[in-house]
Amino acid sequence: MTTKKTLSVFLLILSFNLYLSQEVVIKDDKVLLDGKQILKSEKINMAQYSFYTMKDDEEILMYRYMDNETPKYQDDDYYVLNFITEKIKIESTDFTKILNFMNSRKGMEKLIKWLLKERVITNEGELNPERVQIFKDKYDENITERTLR
């Protein structure tokens, strides 16, 4: 009997979590949150994306994948999140939040979902300057300044 109860509780928690999660989709250069467009996106290439506001078409975020000039050695790869209007740059080697094997669009959907969860981007597609700074404090590894060239 406890197995049935445990399974029931697990399914209830899972369904509740799925109900509360937000759906982020990038389609036709539009970032959609639960079907409503909140940002515009531009895929520059496999390693670079830019995101723009709906209001004034201003670039607010640029994602760039850096191979650290060693294309065959991936242990030193990192990514840069440049919050342009806030003049804040974040460099990180932790790809667990955004990695999606060879599908950059899915990876960017995960990035936007992560930024929404951290309240860096509001549900209306605006940057929250205070949360951008907190996000930097939490995740920035300052790789460029630590790397000898």
Side-chain angles (χ1 to χ4, degrees), residues 102-147:
M102 298 306 290
N103 189 337
S104 60
R105 181 183 55 81
K106 287 289 186 192
M108 292 304 97
E109 289 172 356
K110 287 177 75 173
L111 170 66
I112 296 298
K113 197 169 195 174
W114 181 31
L115 294 174
L116 285 163
K117 181 182 178 202
E118 293 280 342
R119 299 188 328 253
V120 173
I121 295 177
T122 67
N123 289 348
E124 291 77 36
E126 301 290 329
L127 282 181
N128 181 342
E130 293 154 3
R131 296 301 300 181
V132 172
Q133 186 59 51
I134 291 169
F135 190 80
K136 178 181 175 56
D137 294 341
K138 283 173 73 173
Y139 299 108
D140 186 33
E141 296 176 32
N142 210 4
I143 295 164
T144 304
E145 289 186 21
R146 293 185 298 125
T147 305

Side-chain angles (χ1 to χ4, degrees), residues 6-134:
T6 305
L7 183 60
S8 297
V9 169
F10 175 75
L11 290 174
L12 179 66
I13 291 171
L14 180 65
S15 65
F16 186 70
N17 189 25
L18 291 174
Y19 176 74
L20 292 178
S21 67
Q22 297 174 314
E23 181 184 16
V24 175
V25 176
I26 297 176
K27 184 176 181 181
D28 300 328
D29 294 333
K30 298 175 184 172
V31 178
L32 305 172
L33 174 63
D34 295 331
K36 177 187 169 213
Q37 184 176 1
I38 61 168
L39 294 169
K40 297 176 186 175
S41 68
E42 179 183 12
K43 179 180 180 179
I44 311 299
N45 55 42
M46 283 294 288
Q48 187 173 338
Y49 256 86
S50 288
F51 297 92
Y52 304 86
T53 62
M54 293 293 299
K55 248 194 307 194
D56 51 10
D57 213 22
E58 182 176 14
E59 186 175 17
I60 60 170
L61 172 62
M62 184 184 71
Y63 163 88
R64 188 173 353 156
Y65 172 82
M66 305 294 284
D67 67 5
N68 217 2
E69 299 176 9
T70 56
K72 294 187 181 196
Y73 181 70
Q74 296 179 346
D75 287 346
D76 64 349
D77 293 357
Y78 65 99
Y79 61 90
V80 178
L81 295 176
N82 191 354
F83 294 93
I84 296 165
T85 56
E86 299 302 315
K87 296 178 177 44
I88 292 178
K89 189 179 288 189
I90 298 167
E91 300 172 332
S92 178
T93 58
D94 183 9
F95 285 93
T96 59
K97 302 275 191 209
I98 62 171
L99 187 63
N100 202 308
F101 300 100
M102 298 306 290
N103 189 337
S104 60
R105 181 183 55 81
K106 287 289 186 192
M108 292 304 97
E109 289 172 356
K110 287 177 75 173
L111 170 66
I112 296 298
K113 197 169 195 174
W114 181 31
L115 294 174
L116 285 163
K117 181 182 178 202
E118 293 280 342
R119 299 188 328 253
V120 173
I121 295 177
T122 67
N123 289 348
E124 291 77 36
E126 301 290 329
L127 282 181
N128 181 342
E130 293 154 3
R131 296 301 300 181
V132 172
Q133 186 59 51
I134 291 169

